[in-house]
Amino acid sequence: MSYITMAMHFLGGLGLFLYGVNVTSDGLQKIAANRLKSILASLTKKPWAASLFGIVMTVALQSSTATTVMIVEFVNSGFMSLTQALGVVLGSAVGTSIVIQLISFPILNFSLFLLFIGFILLLIVRTPLTKSIGQAFIGFGCIFVGMSFLSGAFAGLKTSPLVGDFLTQLGVIPLLGIIVSILITTLLQSSAAFLAILISLSTNGLLTIEAIIPLVMGAHIGGTMTTLFSSLSSERTDAVRVAVANSIYRIAAAIILLPFFKYVALFVQWTTADFPRQVANTHLFSAIFMVVLFLPLNKYLTRALLKWVPQRKREERQQLIYLSRSALELPEVALNQVRQEIRWLGNRILENMFQLLPRLIFTGDTKVIAELERTEREVDWHYEELSKFIKDLYRRDLTREQIVASHSYQLIIKELEYLADSLVVMARLGGRIHSEKMTIHDDDIDRMGELYILVSENFLTLLPLLNRGEKDLAEKIFANQERIIESYNLIQNGVVCGMQKGAGNSVSVDADEVQKAILDLDNWFYKINEHIVRIAKTLQNG
């Protein structure tokens, strides 16, 4: 086999392997990701249960990096503590080992059969569940087809003395093997891909057990580098803490085991004489070693991380609070982040706009107009960023439920943006009333105050609805809408009657101008409530 052919087989096999991992991950996510949060509540109450959850989640997602992304989201959402998250991180190493165990078996024929079954489920049966299962089967089959090409690519290297000498040196000088492994794994951005290469090399007898041990330990460390580097620029401190802990576990395990590699090699050889299985077993035993060694120490590591990696101070600039680009790899996590960002935005509108409005309309404090306008620009910025994020999410392979949720969130943020615009219009109108020294009757002020209170009740009900999604809260908003319509009509009738009778009092403008200003404020209150009701209906139907 020529070197060009070997290179083509290697690149094609590696590409098929990585594609298979991604496709399998997407399929399994659709089946399992929506249920992970409900499983989480019962599995993370104890440290060992958190590690068990990490194993299950990594097998389901086919990626320890994806697991890290998800648990950072859980920590930020309050679903788990940092100590529990570190337990999940340890479990993710064992989860990766289980995946490696599977690909170390020579089951190409069975995987080809799965490809056929996957094709039938995906393109013929075509129900949502069977499509996801079929996708996972096709991905699983591609993994083994890719492994077959990788093994074939390395077959011609058996006769190369240079390759044999280099690979032998990796066992003679373990530190060199660890460094080489870290560099290659970091370059590939996938420990599973590098381990697949190791299994293919060992299948052709190109690796000794002495070289396998340091290369696997280096793959452990290299698999955390991408997450570590990306977390350093993250605004989310917990992402940095989890990524640092993930690297610490693996580096510490390699340092501790380094003097005992000879005995580890003897133990692995005792478990199996098959070289591909030795690669998988080395990874599994080292992962279990990390869990046993570090799980009891997690609470102490948590204290150290809280001290070494303090909470970052937020800069006074516009920034997304919950969204992270890495979450796009896990649509369910990304959708949860969008929901949290929307909830934060709703609270921002309440505190910096809605609650300030009475100070302007009823007391004449025109200083708040600038604050409302500044917050409205901030809402516009968040609307643009959330829209971009959801647009990027649409490019992912989403389930029907995730598509519906994405569309609902897009509608909600648009309604919030309209709502913020309406509040600014009302603020400017209120400012004009006071700057032109319009005098409004106490009865009109009282009626507008009642309408404001009713709309406020709906807004305050909307915020927990955005947070928890309880449908009874939406019904409460709809019921309160009837009272708002009644109050709105009462003001309208009173103003119209007053204008007809020539009622109204003004210092510097005609009475009709005062009544028109009251009508405008009344209309804007009603429009704001309509935005609230539309958001509630979207959440109820979502």
Side-chain angles (χ1 to χ4, degrees):
M1 183 186 296
S2 68
Y3 287 113
I4 294 178
T5 303
M6 289 169 56
M8 293 300 102
H9 280 211
F10 170 76
L11 294 174
L14 184 61
L16 268 175
F17 177 85
L18 292 172
Y19 172 77
V21 170
N22 288 333
V23 170
T24 304
S25 175
D26 288 342
L28 292 176
Q29 277 185 54
K30 293 174 184 176
I31 299 169
N34 294 339
R35 301 174 178 86
L36 289 177
K37 288 181 185 177
S38 60
I39 298 171
L40 179 67
S42 58
L43 280 185
T44 56
K45 294 178 181 179
K46 295 182 179 180
W48 64 266
S51 293
L52 177 61
F53 180 75
I55 296 171
V56 173
M57 190 157 59
T58 304
V59 173
L61 301 178
Q62 295 287 295
S63 170
S64 58
T65 302
T67 301
T68 303
V69 170
M70 182 168 276
I71 63 175
V72 169
E73 164 64 14
F74 286 152
V75 173
N76 281 279
S77 304
F79 285 105
M80 65 166 63
S81 66
L82 182 59
T83 303
Q84 291 172 323
L86 298 187
V88 178
V89 166
L90 284 171
S92 70
V94 180
T96 301
S97 295
I98 293 175
V99 177
I100 301 305
Q101 287 286 331
L102 288 174
I103 67 175
S104 67
F105 286 102
I107 53 174
L108 175 62
N109 292 336
F110 177 69
S111 65
L112 292 174
F113 175 71
L114 283 183
L115 272 171
F116 175 72
I117 298 298
F119 169 79
I120 293 175
L121 294 175
L122 181 64
L123 298 178
I124 298 178
V125 181
R126 296 184 64 83
T127 65
L129 179 60
T130 58
K131 285 176 68 176
S132 298
I133 296 173
Q135 183 178 350
F137 281 0
I138 289 173
F140 193 71
C142 288
I143 289 173
F144 284 91
V145 173
M147 290 289 297
S148 175
F149 276 101
L150 283 175
S151 297
F154 293 131
L157 298 177
K158 292 180 181 180
T159 58
S160 173
L162 290 176
V163 173
D165 291 343
F166 174 73
L167 294 176
T168 301
Q169 286 299 310
L170 299 180
V172 175
I173 310 174
L175 189 59
L176 175 63
I178 293 174
I179 294 172
V180 169
S181 179
I182 292 173
L183 292 175
I184 297 176
T185 306
T186 303
L187 181 64
L188 292 175
Q189 297 188 22
S190 171
S191 59
F194 181 64
L195 288 163
I197 293 173
L198 295 185
I199 290 173
S200 299
L201 287 169
S202 61
T203 299
N204 290 285
L206 292 167
L207 286 179
T208 63
I209 185 61
E210 288 78 16
I212 287 173
I213 304 298
L215 288 171
V216 169
M217 297 306 299
H220 271 301
I221 299 171
T224 69
M225 291 296 105
T226 301
T227 306
L228 179 62
F229 294 148
S230 63
S231 72
L232 296 178
S233 60
S234 174
E235 296 287 346
R236 313 175 85 176
T237 307
D238 285 322
V240 182
R241 290 168 179 161
V242 171
V244 168
N246 202 14
S247 296
I248 287 174
Y249 290 141
R250 287 152 173 77
I251 294 171
I255 293 172
I256 292 170
L257 289 176
L258 184 58
F260 306 101
F261 275 3
K262 179 174 65 175
Y263 303 103
V264 174
L266 291 173
F267 176 71
V268 173
Q269 281 181 313
W270 173 76
T271 62
T272 179
D274 183 56
F275 285 122
R277 304 283 303 125
Q278 287 178 358
V279 173
N281 287 355
T282 301
H283 195 279
L284 177 62
F285 297 149
S286 57
I288 293 174
F289 171 76
M290 284 189 286
V291 173
V292 173
L293 179 63
F294 294 115
L295 192 59
L297 304 176
N298 267 349
K299 58 182 179 180
Y300 304 107
L301 181 57
T302 299
R303 294 173 191 169
L305 288 171
L306 291 173
K307 182 179 179 180
W308 296 341
V309 189
Q311 191 71 35
R312 296 181 177 181
K313 294 181 180 179
R314 292 195 179 276
E315 300 178 15
E316 291 298 322
R317 61 180 177 85
Q318 288 181 332
Q319 57 185 348
L320 297 168
I321 310 302
Y322 294 100
L323 297 190
S324 60
R325 302 293 302 177
S326 57
L328 289 170
E329 299 299 325
L330 295 165
E332 195 62 28
V333 174
L335 286 171
N336 187 57
Q337 289 185 353
V338 171
R339 183 184 60 79
Q340 288 180 293
E341 196 78 25
I342 290 173
R343 182 198 63 191
W344 179 88
L345 197 58
N347 278 286
R348 190 74 167 174
I349 293 172
L350 174 68
E351 295 170 3
N352 287 43
M353 298 187 78
F354 206 87
Q355 291 179 345
L356 295 180
L357 194 63
R359 285 171 49 185
L360 173 61
I361 294 176
F362 302 126
T363 68
D365 184 2
T366 56
K367 295 179 182 178
V368 302
I369 295 179
E371 176 62 23
L372 265 73
E373 290 176 340
R374 186 188 67 79
T375 305
E376 189 268 339
R377 290 193 296 271
E378 186 177 351
V379 171
D380 286 345
W381 183 85
H382 272 80
Y383 167 72
E384 294 293 335
E385 294 301 315
L386 277 165
S387 296
K388 291 176 186 176
F389 189 85
I390 293 174
K391 183 178 179 181
D392 290 340
L393 187 59
Y394 275 130
R395 296 192 180 102
R396 309 288 164 163
D397 193 7
L398 305 179
T399 64
R400 182 176 301 174
E401 292 78 9
Q402 290 168 343
I403 292 173
V404 170
S406 300
H407 181 64
S408 297
Y409 290 149
Q410 184 68 60
L411 294 176
I412 290 170
I413 59 176
K414 188 59 181 176
E415 292 294 339
L416 287 175
E417 196 256 347
Y418 284 147
L419 196 152
D421 291 342
S422 301
L423 288 168
V424 169
V425 172
M426 290 188 71
R428 291 169 180 165
L429 180 58
R432 185 171 70 84
I433 289 173
H434 290 286
S435 66
E436 296 181 4
K437 302 186 186 313
M438 297 182 186
T439 300
I440 302 177
H441 282 302
D442 290 342
D443 289 344
D444 291 329
I445 291 176
D446 290 341
R447 282 194 289 264
M448 277 197 297
E450 290 174 5
L451 184 58
Y452 172 81
I453 290 172
L454 290 172
V455 176
S456 296
E457 288 177 1
N458 265 4
F459 201 174
L460 290 171
T461 305
L462 178 67
L463 295 179
L465 177 61
L466 286 170
N467 186 30
R468 300 191 297 270
E470 297 174 6
K471 301 299 175 67
D472 58 325
L473 294 174
E475 294 297 336
K476 185 178 177 180
I477 290 174
F478 302 149
N480 199 41
Q481 185 184 19
E482 300 300 323
R483 297 168 59 199
I484 291 172
I485 293 173
E486 182 180 342
S487 179
Y488 170 77
N489 290 333
L490 184 63
I491 295 175
Q492 293 279 309
N493 293 335
V495 171
V496 171
C497 290
M499 292 175 68
Q500 290 175 346
K501 295 177 181 179
N505 191 14
S506 176
V507 176
S508 60
V509 295
D510 294 334
D512 282 353
E513 289 299 318
V514 177
Q515 299 303 316
K516 289 177 181 177
I518 294 172
L519 281 174
D520 284 342
L521 288 172
D522 182 33
N523 288 332
W524 282 109
F525 272 129
Y526 188 79
K527 287 178 182 178
I528 286 172
N529 185 66
E530 284 186 322
H531 294 309
I532 295 171
V533 169
R534 280 197 286 268
I535 293 173
K537 286 180 178 178
T538 301
L539 290 169
Q540 187 183 53
N541 297 329

